[in-house]
Amino acid sequence: MQNFRNYYEILGVSREATFDDIKRAYRQLARRYHPDMNPGDKSAEEKFKLLGEAYNMLSDSEKRSQYDQFSQFWNQKGFQGVFNRTKTTPDRPNGRVSFGDLNFGEFRDFNSFVDQLLNRRREQPQQESVGREPINNGRTAPTVEEPFRPSSAEATYTAPSRSNRRDAEANLTVPLERAFAGGRERIRLEDGRSLEVNMPAGMITGQRIRLKGQGIGGGNLYLRIEVAPHPFFTLQGNDVFCRLPLTPSEAALGGTLEVPTLEGPVRMTIPAGVQPGQRLRLASKGYFIGQDRRGDQIIEIEVVIPTVLSAREKALYAELREMETLDPRADLPV
C-alpha cells in the first residue's frame, strides 16, 4: 500500500517496546525536531508531525493493537489497486469491514485503510470550549466556558462511536503572574498538537481545565495545572506572601515606598520604627476567592545591613552612634 508508515521505525523502538519506552523515545526526538528548535526547517517540521502521529498511534493500547493487525497486511497483493469507496451492504452494515472480507484494492493509501478499519471520518476542527472544574483543596472555582482555537487548519480525526472516545490528561506549568491574570495561552501537547486556550484567572496547582473533544477519539482533554514557583511571591492559601527589604534608615524613619504586587507596584506607607520580621498587610491584593473577592498581600519586613560604606556614610554612622539614645542590651536577662 502506498504511504505505509512504520511507526515503530519512526520512533526508533522495537515492536516489543513498552509504553515508557515509546514515551521516552518520542520525547527525545520531539525535542530534537521541535519547530522552535529548527525555525524555518520544513523537513524538521514534517518529521515533528510524523513523530506526533506515531506517538498518537502507539501510545494508545487499542490503536496500537489495531495498527499491529493492519500493518501485517500492508505488502499483500491488491494494495496498489484503484480506489473504490466501501459501500454499505447487508453483510457489511455501516460500511464496516473485517479481515475476512477485506479487499485491499479499495484503499488508495495507508491512511484510507486505517480510517476505514477504525470507522473514522475526517472533519475540520470546530471551536470547542474550556471548562473549569471544582478542585479539592477547599477552594471551588465556578464552571466557565471559554473558547479555544486549534492553531492549525489541518483536518483532525474524530470517531463517531462513543466506545472509541477516551479522556486524556496533560500537565501544564504556568507562571504565577499568568495563573493570576489568566488570558490566552498557546500550549503544545505531547502528540504534537498546538492549541490556543483562553485560560481563566486565578488558576492554582492541582486544578484541571477541560478541553471538550480534544482527547482520544473525540473525548475530553484535561489540563492539570501546576503554578511555577515565583522568586518573590508565595501563595499561602488565598494570601500572597512576600518579604520587603528595607535599609536601617527606612525602617527607623518609615515613609511611603513602592511595593510590588501581582497587579504591578503600589504605594504603601511604612510605619516609623518597623521591626525586622514584622508583617504588614495590603488588603484585597492577594489571590482570588471566587470571582468577586480576593485575599490579602502579606509583607514581612527585612532590614538589610550594609556591608560596604562610603567614607561619608561611615562618618554619618559614627556620628549617629555618638548621638543615639537606644541601648538594645539594656534589658538582657543576665
Side-chain angles (χ1 to χ4, degrees), residues 119-154:
N119 192 28
R120 296 190 302 197
R121 57 187 173 89
R122 283 179 180 260
E123 62 180 27
Q124 293 298 321
Q126 299 177 347
Q127 181 169 299
E128 302 289 353
S129 61
V130 177
R132 186 176 175 187
E133 297 192 334
I135 44 183
N136 297 323
N137 59 358
R139 297 171 56 188
T140 301
T143 298
V144 296
E145 294 294 332
E146 301 287 353
F148 77 92
R149 301 191 302 268
S151 63
S152 170
E154 295 180 355

PDB file of all heavy atoms in Angstrom, residues 119-154:
ATOM      1  N   ASN A 119     -13.344   2.920  11.317  1.00  0.00           N
ATOM      2  CA  ASN A 119     -14.641   3.584  11.124  1.00  0.00           C
ATOM      3  C   ASN A 119     -14.544   5.066  11.475  1.00  0.00           C
ATOM      4  O   ASN A 119     -15.367   5.637  12.185  1.00  0.00           O
ATOM      5  CB  ASN A 119     -15.718   2.932  11.999  1.00  0.00           C
ATOM      6  CG  ASN A 119     -17.116   3.396  11.592  1.00  0.00           C
ATOM      7  OD1 ASN A 119     -17.337   3.744  10.431  1.00  0.00           O
ATOM      8  ND2 ASN A 119     -18.038   3.387  12.538  1.00  0.00           N
ATOM      9  N   ARG A 120     -13.472   5.711  10.956  1.00  0.00           N
ATOM     10  CA  ARG A 120     -13.245   7.115  11.261  1.00  0.00           C
ATOM     11  C   ARG A 120     -13.633   7.957  10.059  1.00  0.00           C
ATOM     12  O   ARG A 120     -13.682   7.492   8.940  1.00  0.00           O
ATOM     13  CB  ARG A 120     -11.771   7.376  11.597  1.00  0.00           C
ATOM     14  CG  ARG A 120     -11.305   6.673  12.836  1.00  0.00           C
ATOM     15  CD  ARG A 120      -9.950   7.120  13.267  1.00  0.00           C
ATOM     16  NE  ARG A 120      -8.942   6.930  12.244  1.00  0.00           N
ATOM     17  CZ  ARG A 120      -7.634   6.934  12.488  1.00  0.00           C
ATOM     18  NH1 ARG A 120      -7.202   7.160  13.693  1.00  0.00           N
ATOM     19  NH2 ARG A 120      -6.768   6.752  11.530  1.00  0.00           N
ATOM     20  N   ARG A 121     -13.870   9.231  10.332  1.00  0.00           N
ATOM     21  CA  ARG A 121     -14.127  10.188   9.275  1.00  0.00           C
ATOM     22  C   ARG A 121     -13.278  11.419   9.531  1.00  0.00           C
ATOM     23  O   ARG A 121     -12.881  11.693  10.659  1.00  0.00           O
ATOM     24  CB  ARG A 121     -15.603  10.599   9.239  1.00  0.00           C
ATOM     25  CG  ARG A 121     -16.106  11.186  10.542  1.00  0.00           C
ATOM     26  CD  ARG A 121     -17.603  11.409  10.460  1.00  0.00           C
ATOM     27  NE  ARG A 121     -18.129  11.827  11.749  1.00  0.00           N
ATOM     28  CZ  ARG A 121     -18.208  13.096  12.139  1.00  0.00           C
ATOM     29  NH1 ARG A 121     -17.806  14.062  11.334  1.00  0.00           N
ATOM     30  NH2 ARG A 121     -18.693  13.406  13.328  1.00  0.00           N
ATOM     31  N   ARG A 122     -13.012  12.182   8.482  1.00  0.00           N
ATOM     32  CA  ARG A 122     -12.244  13.413   8.627  1.00  0.00           C
ATOM     33  C   ARG A 122     -13.187  14.597   8.678  1.00  0.00           C
ATOM     34  O   ARG A 122     -14.139  14.681   7.930  1.00  0.00           O
ATOM     35  CB  ARG A 122     -11.280  13.615   7.445  1.00  0.00           C
ATOM     36  CG  ARG A 122     -10.031  12.751   7.512  1.00  0.00           C
ATOM     37  CD  ARG A 122      -9.168  13.015   6.294  1.00  0.00           C
ATOM     38  NE  ARG A 122      -7.976  12.211   6.324  1.00  0.00           N
ATOM     39  CZ  ARG A 122      -6.806  12.672   6.713  1.00  0.00           C
ATOM     40  NH1 ARG A 122      -6.688  13.909   7.107  1.00  0.00           N
ATOM     41  NH2 ARG A 122      -5.747  11.902   6.720  1.00  0.00           N
ATOM     42  N   GLU A 123     -12.877  15.530   9.556  1.00  0.00           N
ATOM     43  CA  GLU A 123     -13.650  16.769   9.582  1.00  0.00           C
ATOM     44  C   GLU A 123     -12.743  17.884  10.042  1.00  0.00           C
ATOM     45  O   GLU A 123     -11.738  17.671  10.711  1.00  0.00           O
ATOM     46  CB  GLU A 123     -14.858  16.663  10.505  1.00  0.00           C
ATOM     47  CG  GLU A 123     -14.510  16.414  11.942  1.00  0.00           C
ATOM     48  CD  GLU A 123     -15.753  16.330  12.795  1.00  0.00           C
ATOM     49  OE1 GLU A 123     -16.802  15.958  12.260  1.00  0.00           O
ATOM     50  OE2 GLU A 123     -15.648  16.654  13.995  1.00  0.00           O
ATOM     51  N   GLN A 124     -13.094  19.114   9.681  1.00  0.00           N
ATOM     52  CA  GLN A 124     -12.313  20.255  10.096  1.00  0.00           C
ATOM     53  C   GLN A 124     -12.542  20.525  11.572  1.00  0.00           C
ATOM     54  O   GLN A 124     -13.657  20.341  12.065  1.00  0.00           O
ATOM     55  CB  GLN A 124     -12.715  21.493   9.270  1.00  0.00           C
ATOM     56  CG  GLN A 124     -12.352  21.379   7.797  1.00  0.00           C
ATOM     57  CD  GLN A 124     -10.857  21.254   7.590  1.00  0.00           C
ATOM     58  OE1 GLN A 124     -10.084  21.903   8.289  1.00  0.00           O
ATOM     59  NE2 GLN A 124     -10.453  20.431   6.652  1.00  0.00           N
ATOM     60  N   PRO A 125     -11.521  20.970  12.293  1.00  0.00           N
ATOM     61  CA  PRO A 125     -11.711  21.231  13.720  1.00  0.00           C
ATOM     62  C   PRO A 125     -12.711  22.349  13.939  1.00  0.00           C
ATOM     63  O   PRO A 125     -12.728  23.333  13.221  1.00  0.00           O
ATOM     64  CB  PRO A 125     -10.309  21.639  14.198  1.00  0.00           C
ATOM     65  CG  PRO A 125      -9.592  22.070  12.965  1.00  0.00           C
ATOM     66  CD  PRO A 125     -10.171  21.273  11.835  1.00  0.00           C
ATOM     67  N   GLN A 126     -13.552  22.192  14.952  1.00  0.00           N
ATOM     68  CA  GLN A 126     -14.542  23.193  15.271  1.00  0.00           C
ATOM     69  C   GLN A 126     -14.169  23.866  16.582  1.00  0.00           C
ATOM     70  O   GLN A 126     -13.415  23.335  17.389  1.00  0.00           O
ATOM     71  CB  GLN A 126     -15.921  22.543  15.418  1.00  0.00           C
ATOM     72  CG  GLN A 126     -16.376  21.852  14.132  1.00  0.00           C
ATOM     73  CD  GLN A 126     -17.711  21.169  14.348  1.00  0.00           C
ATOM     74  OE1 GLN A 126     -18.161  21.020  15.468  1.00  0.00           O
ATOM     75  NE2 GLN A 126     -18.321  20.746  13.263  1.00  0.00           N
ATOM     76  N   GLN A 127     -14.733  25.039  16.781  1.00  0.00           N
ATOM     77  CA  GLN A 127     -14.462  25.740  18.033  1.00  0.00           C
ATOM     78  C   GLN A 127     -15.083  24.978  19.181  1.00  0.00           C
ATOM     79  O   GLN A 127     -16.246  24.630  19.163  1.00  0.00           O
ATOM     80  CB  GLN A 127     -15.040  27.149  17.956  1.00  0.00           C
ATOM     81  CG  GLN A 127     -14.792  27.959  19.212  1.00  0.00           C
ATOM     82  CD  GLN A 127     -15.126  29.403  18.997  1.00  0.00           C
ATOM     83  OE1 GLN A 127     -14.544  30.054  18.165  1.00  0.00           O
ATOM     84  NE2 GLN A 127     -16.076  29.904  19.753  1.00  0.00           N
ATOM     85  N   GLU A 128     -14.273  24.684  20.191  1.00  0.00           N
ATOM     86  CA  GLU A 128     -14.746  23.931  21.345  1.00  0.00           C
ATOM     87  C   GLU A 128     -14.819  24.861  22.540  1.00  0.00           C
ATOM     88  O   GLU A 128     -14.903  26.064  22.418  1.00  0.00           O
ATOM     89  CB  GLU A 128     -13.803  22.745  21.611  1.00  0.00           C
ATOM     90  CG  GLU A 128     -13.679  21.799  20.420  1.00  0.00           C
ATOM     91  CD  GLU A 128     -14.930  20.988  20.183  1.00  0.00           C
ATOM     92  OE1 GLU A 128     -15.844  21.051  21.012  1.00  0.00           O
ATOM     93  OE2 GLU A 128     -14.994  20.299  19.157  1.00  0.00           O
ATOM     94  N   SER A 129     -14.732  24.321  23.725  1.00  0.00           N
ATOM     95  CA  SER A 129     -14.832  25.157  24.914  1.00  0.00           C
ATOM     96  C   SER A 129     -13.936  24.635  26.001  1.00  0.00           C
ATOM     97  O   SER A 129     -13.564  23.476  26.022  1.00  0.00           O
ATOM     98  CB  SER A 129     -16.269  25.198  25.408  1.00  0.00           C
ATOM     99  OG  SER A 129     -16.702  23.903  25.745  1.00  0.00           O
ATOM    100  N   VAL A 130     -13.593  25.510  26.899  1.00  0.00           N
ATOM    101  CA  VAL A 130     -12.763  25.166  28.049  1.00  0.00           C
ATOM    102  C   VAL A 130     -13.647  25.186  29.281  1.00  0.00           C
ATOM    103  O   VAL A 130     -14.390  26.144  29.492  1.00  0.00           O
ATOM    104  CB  VAL A 130     -11.627  26.190  28.212  1.00  0.00           C
ATOM    105  CG1 VAL A 130     -10.818  25.870  29.449  1.00  0.00           C
ATOM    106  CG2 VAL A 130     -10.744  26.176  26.982  1.00  0.00           C
ATOM    107  N   GLY A 131     -13.569  24.150  30.098  1.00  0.00           N
ATOM    108  CA  GLY A 131     -14.320  24.143  31.355  1.00  0.00           C
ATOM    109  C   GLY A 131     -13.387  24.248  32.521  1.00  0.00           C
ATOM    110  O   GLY A 131     -12.274  23.734  32.474  1.00  0.00           O
ATOM    111  N   ARG A 132     -13.832  24.885  33.588  1.00  0.00           N
ATOM    112  CA  ARG A 132     -13.034  24.975  34.802  1.00  0.00           C
ATOM    113  C   ARG A 132     -13.768  24.224  35.875  1.00  0.00           C
ATOM    114  O   ARG A 132     -14.914  24.519  36.169  1.00  0.00           O
ATOM    115  CB  ARG A 132     -12.852  26.442  35.184  1.00  0.00           C
ATOM    116  CG  ARG A 132     -11.909  26.624  36.364  1.00  0.00           C
ATOM    117  CD  ARG A 132     -11.697  28.095  36.615  1.00  0.00           C
ATOM    118  NE  ARG A 132     -10.896  28.286  37.802  1.00  0.00           N
ATOM    119  CZ  ARG A 132     -10.678  29.475  38.325  1.00  0.00           C
ATOM    120  NH1 ARG A 132     -11.180  30.552  37.771  1.00  0.00           N
ATOM    121  NH2 ARG A 132      -9.948  29.582  39.423  1.00  0.00           N
ATOM    122  N   GLU A 133     -13.123  23.221  36.460  1.00  0.00           N
ATOM    123  CA  GLU A 133     -13.809  22.305  37.359  1.00  0.00           C
ATOM    124  C   GLU A 133     -13.539  22.623  38.821  1.00  0.00           C
ATOM    125  O   GLU A 133     -12.542  23.243  39.160  1.00  0.00           O
ATOM    126  CB  GLU A 133     -13.326  20.880  37.077  1.00  0.00           C
ATOM    127  CG  GLU A 133     -13.667  20.424  35.668  1.00  0.00           C
ATOM    128  CD  GLU A 133     -13.436  18.940  35.558  1.00  0.00           C
ATOM    129  OE1 GLU A 133     -12.616  18.427  36.317  1.00  0.00           O
ATOM    130  OE2 GLU A 133     -14.097  18.317  34.735  1.00  0.00           O
ATOM    131  N   PRO A 134     -14.428  22.149  39.716  1.00  0.00           N
ATOM    132  CA  PRO A 134     -14.152  22.296  41.148  1.00  0.00           C
ATOM    133  C   PRO A 134     -12.884  21.551  41.525  1.00  0.00           C
ATOM    134  O   PRO A 134     -12.534  20.548  40.910  1.00  0.00           O
ATOM    135  CB  PRO A 134     -15.386  21.665  41.816  1.00  0.00           C
ATOM    136  CG  PRO A 134     -16.439  21.708  40.774  1.00  0.00           C
ATOM    137  CD  PRO A 134     -15.713  21.563  39.460  1.00  0.00           C
ATOM    138  N   ILE A 135     -12.165  22.022  42.531  1.00  0.00           N
ATOM    139  CA  ILE A 135     -10.927  21.389  42.963  1.00  0.00           C
ATOM    140  C   ILE A 135     -11.038  21.058  44.443  1.00  0.00           C
ATOM    141  O   ILE A 135     -11.794  21.671  45.185  1.00  0.00           O
ATOM    142  CB  ILE A 135      -9.724  22.306  42.687  1.00  0.00           C
ATOM    143  CG1 ILE A 135     -10.070  23.742  43.100  1.00  0.00           C
ATOM    144  CG2 ILE A 135      -9.352  22.280  41.251  1.00  0.00           C
ATOM    145  CD1 ILE A 135      -8.997  24.721  42.812  1.00  0.00           C
ATOM    146  N   ASN A 136     -10.237  20.095  44.899  1.00  0.00           N
ATOM    147  CA  ASN A 136     -10.437  19.517  46.224  1.00  0.00           C
ATOM    148  C   ASN A 136      -9.465  20.052  47.251  1.00  0.00           C
ATOM    149  O   ASN A 136      -8.828  19.303  47.974  1.00  0.00           O
ATOM    150  CB  ASN A 136     -10.296  17.987  46.132  1.00  0.00           C
ATOM    151  CG  ASN A 136     -11.349  17.396  45.248  1.00  0.00           C
ATOM    152  OD1 ASN A 136     -12.478  17.862  45.238  1.00  0.00           O
ATOM    153  ND2 ASN A 136     -10.980  16.367  44.499  1.00  0.00           N
ATOM    154  N   ASN A 137      -9.287  21.363  47.297  1.00  0.00           N
ATOM    155  CA  ASN A 137      -8.420  21.920  48.331  1.00  0.00           C
ATOM    156  C   ASN A 137      -9.134  23.027  49.091  1.00  0.00           C
ATOM    157  O   ASN A 137      -8.517  23.943  49.604  1.00  0.00           O
ATOM    158  CB  ASN A 137      -7.123  22.458  47.712  1.00  0.00           C
ATOM    159  CG  ASN A 137      -7.400  23.514  46.683  1.00  0.00           C
ATOM    160  OD1 ASN A 137      -8.549  23.820  46.407  1.00  0.00           O
ATOM    161  ND2 ASN A 137      -6.340  24.070  46.121  1.00  0.00           N
ATOM    162  N   GLY A 138     -10.459  22.930  49.141  1.00  0.00           N
ATOM    163  CA  GLY A 138     -11.205  23.919  49.893  1.00  0.00           C
ATOM    164  C   GLY A 138     -11.584  25.139  49.094  1.00  0.00           C
ATOM    165  O   GLY A 138     -12.317  26.001  49.556  1.00  0.00           O
ATOM    166  N   ARG A 139     -11.071  25.256  47.866  1.00  0.00           N
ATOM    167  CA  ARG A 139     -11.396  26.392  47.034  1.00  0.00           C
ATOM    168  C   ARG A 139     -12.056  25.867  45.771  1.00  0.00           C
ATOM    169  O   ARG A 139     -11.453  25.139  45.002  1.00  0.00           O
ATOM    170  CB  ARG A 139     -10.131  27.170  46.677  1.00  0.00           C
ATOM    171  CG  ARG A 139      -9.429  27.754  47.861  1.00  0.00           C
ATOM    172  CD  ARG A 139      -8.081  28.320  47.458  1.00  0.00           C
ATOM    173  NE  ARG A 139      -8.229  29.295  46.402  1.00  0.00           N
ATOM    174  CZ  ARG A 139      -7.198  29.830  45.772  1.00  0.00           C
ATOM    175  NH1 ARG A 139      -5.992  29.469  46.071  1.00  0.00           N
ATOM    176  NH2 ARG A 139      -7.392  30.709  44.819  1.00  0.00           N
ATOM    177  N   THR A 140     -13.311  26.217  45.566  1.00  0.00           N
ATOM    178  CA  THR A 140     -14.051  25.724  44.419  1.00  0.00           C
ATOM    179  C   THR A 140     -14.267  26.865  43.438  1.00  0.00           C
ATOM    180  O   THR A 140     -14.852  27.885  43.777  1.00  0.00           O
ATOM    181  CB  THR A 140     -15.411  25.156  44.843  1.00  0.00           C
ATOM    182  OG1 THR A 140     -15.172  24.106  45.774  1.00  0.00           O
ATOM    183  CG2 THR A 140     -16.160  24.608  43.648  1.00  0.00           C
ATOM    184  N   ALA A 141     -13.760  26.692  42.231  1.00  0.00           N
ATOM    185  CA  ALA A 141     -13.919  27.723  41.226  1.00  0.00           C
ATOM    186  C   ALA A 141     -15.182  27.470  40.423  1.00  0.00           C
ATOM    187  O   ALA A 141     -15.546  26.323  40.194  1.00  0.00           O
ATOM    188  CB  ALA A 141     -12.711  27.718  40.279  1.00  0.00           C
ATOM    189  N   PRO A 142     -15.892  28.520  40.009  1.00  0.00           N
ATOM    190  CA  PRO A 142     -17.101  28.321  39.211  1.00  0.00           C
ATOM    191  C   PRO A 142     -16.771  27.761  37.847  1.00  0.00           C
ATOM    192  O   PRO A 142     -15.681  27.985  37.320  1.00  0.00           O
ATOM    193  CB  PRO A 142     -17.664  29.740  39.097  1.00  0.00           C
ATOM    194  CG  PRO A 142     -16.477  30.631  39.248  1.00  0.00           C
ATOM    195  CD  PRO A 142     -15.569  29.927  40.222  1.00  0.00           C
ATOM    196  N   THR A 143     -17.697  27.010  37.288  1.00  0.00           N
ATOM    197  CA  THR A 143     -17.501  26.469  35.947  1.00  0.00           C
ATOM    198  C   THR A 143     -17.707  27.583  34.935  1.00  0.00           C
ATOM    199  O   THR A 143     -18.686  28.320  35.000  1.00  0.00           O
ATOM    200  CB  THR A 143     -18.490  25.343  35.669  1.00  0.00           C
ATOM    201  OG1 THR A 143     -18.247  24.303  36.609  1.00  0.00           O
ATOM    202  CG2 THR A 143     -18.323  24.793  34.268  1.00  0.00           C
ATOM    203  N   VAL A 144     -16.761  27.705  34.021  1.00  0.00           N
ATOM    204  CA  VAL A 144     -16.881  28.700  32.963  1.00  0.00           C
ATOM    205  C   VAL A 144     -16.647  28.023  31.637  1.00  0.00           C
ATOM    206  O   VAL A 144     -15.992  26.984  31.563  1.00  0.00           O
ATOM    207  CB  VAL A 144     -15.867  29.857  33.140  1.00  0.00           C
ATOM    208  CG1 VAL A 144     -16.135  30.621  34.401  1.00  0.00           C
ATOM    209  CG2 VAL A 144     -14.442  29.323  33.130  1.00  0.00           C
ATOM    210  N   GLU A 145     -17.179  28.579  30.594  1.00  0.00           N
ATOM    211  CA  GLU A 145     -16.961  28.060  29.251  1.00  0.00           C
ATOM    212  C   GLU A 145     -16.211  29.115  28.463  1.00  0.00           C
ATOM    213  O   GLU A 145     -16.687  30.243  28.300  1.00  0.00           O
ATOM    214  CB  GLU A 145     -18.304  27.752  28.556  1.00  0.00           C
ATOM    215  CG  GLU A 145     -19.074  26.620  29.196  1.00  0.00           C
ATOM    216  CD  GLU A 145     -18.373  25.285  29.051  1.00  0.00           C
ATOM    217  OE1 GLU A 145     -17.631  25.119  28.076  1.00  0.00           O
ATOM    218  OE2 GLU A 145     -18.562  24.422  29.914  1.00  0.00           O
ATOM    219  N   GLU A 146     -15.028  28.775  28.004  1.00  0.00           N
ATOM    220  CA  GLU A 146     -14.223  29.700  27.229  1.00  0.00           C
ATOM    221  C   GLU A 146     -13.847  29.053  25.902  1.00  0.00           C
ATOM    222  O   GLU A 146     -13.578  27.857  25.852  1.00  0.00           O
ATOM    223  CB  GLU A 146     -12.924  30.056  27.983  1.00  0.00           C
ATOM    224  CG  GLU A 146     -13.156  30.672  29.336  1.00  0.00           C
ATOM    225  CD  GLU A 146     -13.649  32.095  29.240  1.00  0.00           C
ATOM    226  OE1 GLU A 146     -13.671  32.631  28.119  1.00  0.00           O
ATOM    227  OE2 GLU A 146     -14.030  32.662  30.276  1.00  0.00           O
ATOM    228  N   PRO A 147     -13.795  29.825  24.797  1.00  0.00           N
ATOM    229  CA  PRO A 147     -13.453  29.233  23.500  1.00  0.00           C
ATOM    230  C   PRO A 147     -11.973  28.989  23.364  1.00  0.00           C
ATOM    231  O   PRO A 147     -11.160  29.662  23.979  1.00  0.00           O
ATOM    232  CB  PRO A 147     -13.919  30.294  22.488  1.00  0.00           C
ATOM    233  CG  PRO A 147     -13.805  31.574  23.253  1.00  0.00           C
ATOM    234  CD  PRO A 147     -14.129  31.234  24.686  1.00  0.00           C
ATOM    235  N   PHE A 148     -11.610  28.010  22.559  1.00  0.00           N
ATOM    236  CA  PHE A 148     -10.219  27.850  22.162  1.00  0.00           C
ATOM    237  C   PHE A 148     -10.172  27.569  20.681  1.00  0.00           C
ATOM    238  O   PHE A 148     -11.148  27.176  20.073  1.00  0.00           O
ATOM    239  CB  PHE A 148      -9.501  26.738  22.950  1.00  0.00           C
ATOM    240  CG  PHE A 148      -9.840  25.353  22.494  1.00  0.00           C
ATOM    241  CD1 PHE A 148      -9.064  24.713  21.538  1.00  0.00           C
ATOM    242  CD2 PHE A 148     -10.958  24.713  22.995  1.00  0.00           C
ATOM    243  CE1 PHE A 148      -9.388  23.452  21.123  1.00  0.00           C
ATOM    244  CE2 PHE A 148     -11.273  23.448  22.568  1.00  0.00           C
ATOM    245  CZ  PHE A 148     -10.486  22.823  21.636  1.00  0.00           C
ATOM    246  N   ARG A 149      -9.003  27.821  20.079  1.00  0.00           N
ATOM    247  CA  ARG A 149      -8.856  27.620  18.644  1.00  0.00           C
ATOM    248  C   ARG A 149      -7.665  26.728  18.399  1.00  0.00           C
ATOM    249  O   ARG A 149      -6.572  27.006  18.896  1.00  0.00           O
ATOM    250  CB  ARG A 149      -8.625  28.961  17.935  1.00  0.00           C
ATOM    251  CG  ARG A 149      -9.721  29.960  18.125  1.00  0.00           C
ATOM    252  CD  ARG A 149      -9.513  31.129  17.174  1.00  0.00           C
ATOM    253  NE  ARG A 149      -8.216  31.756  17.398  1.00  0.00           N
ATOM    254  CZ  ARG A 149      -8.051  32.770  18.227  1.00  0.00           C
ATOM    255  NH1 ARG A 149      -9.054  33.235  18.918  1.00  0.00           N
ATOM    256  NH2 ARG A 149      -6.861  33.319  18.365  1.00  0.00           N
ATOM    257  N   PRO A 150      -7.810  25.616  17.622  1.00  0.00           N
ATOM    258  CA  PRO A 150      -6.629  24.885  17.177  1.00  0.00           C
ATOM    259  C   PRO A 150      -5.750  25.806  16.351  1.00  0.00           C
ATOM    260  O   PRO A 150      -6.259  26.646  15.610  1.00  0.00           O
ATOM    261  CB  PRO A 150      -7.215  23.734  16.330  1.00  0.00           C
ATOM    262  CG  PRO A 150      -8.629  23.608  16.804  1.00  0.00           C
ATOM    263  CD  PRO A 150      -9.052  25.000  17.193  1.00  0.00           C
ATOM    264  N   SER A 151      -4.427  25.668  16.487  1.00  0.00           N
ATOM    265  CA  SER A 151      -3.523  26.590  15.815  1.00  0.00           C
ATOM    266  C   SER A 151      -3.291  26.221  14.366  1.00  0.00           C
ATOM    267  O   SER A 151      -2.605  26.923  13.651  1.00  0.00           O
ATOM    268  CB  SER A 151      -2.180  26.618  16.536  1.00  0.00           C
ATOM    269  OG  SER A 151      -1.582  25.342  16.484  1.00  0.00           O
ATOM    270  N   SER A 152      -3.786  25.118  13.923  1.00  0.00           N
ATOM    271  CA  SER A 152      -3.579  24.689  12.543  1.00  0.00           C
ATOM    272  C   SER A 152      -4.919  24.418  11.904  1.00  0.00           C
ATOM    273  O   SER A 152      -5.873  24.001  12.534  1.00  0.00           O
ATOM    274  CB  SER A 152      -2.710  23.415  12.503  1.00  0.00           C
ATOM    275  OG  SER A 152      -2.706  22.888  11.207  1.00  0.00           O
ATOM    276  N   ALA A 153      -4.985  24.657  10.584  1.00  0.00           N
ATOM    277  CA  ALA A 153      -6.232  24.421   9.863  1.00  0.00           C
ATOM    278  C   ALA A 153      -6.294  23.018   9.299  1.00  0.00           C
ATOM    279  O   ALA A 153      -7.179  22.680   8.531  1.00  0.00           O
ATOM    280  CB  ALA A 153      -6.371  25.435   8.724  1.00  0.00           C
ATOM    281  N   GLU A 154      -5.320  22.173   9.635  1.00  0.00           N
ATOM    282  CA  GLU A 154      -5.322  20.826   9.102  1.00  0.00           C
ATOM    283  C   GLU A 154      -6.484  20.028   9.662  1.00  0.00           C
ATOM    284  O   GLU A 154      -6.966  20.271  10.753  1.00  0.00           O
ATOM    285  CB  GLU A 154      -4.006  20.115   9.466  1.00  0.00           C
ATOM    286  CG  GLU A 154      -2.796  20.775   8.811  1.00  0.00           C
ATOM    287  CD  GLU A 154      -1.532  20.039   9.187  1.00  0.00           C
ATOM    288  OE1 GLU A 154      -1.629  19.108  10.001  1.00  0.00           O
ATOM    289  OE2 GLU A 154      -0.474  20.387   8.670  1.00  0.00           O
TER     290      GLU A 154
END
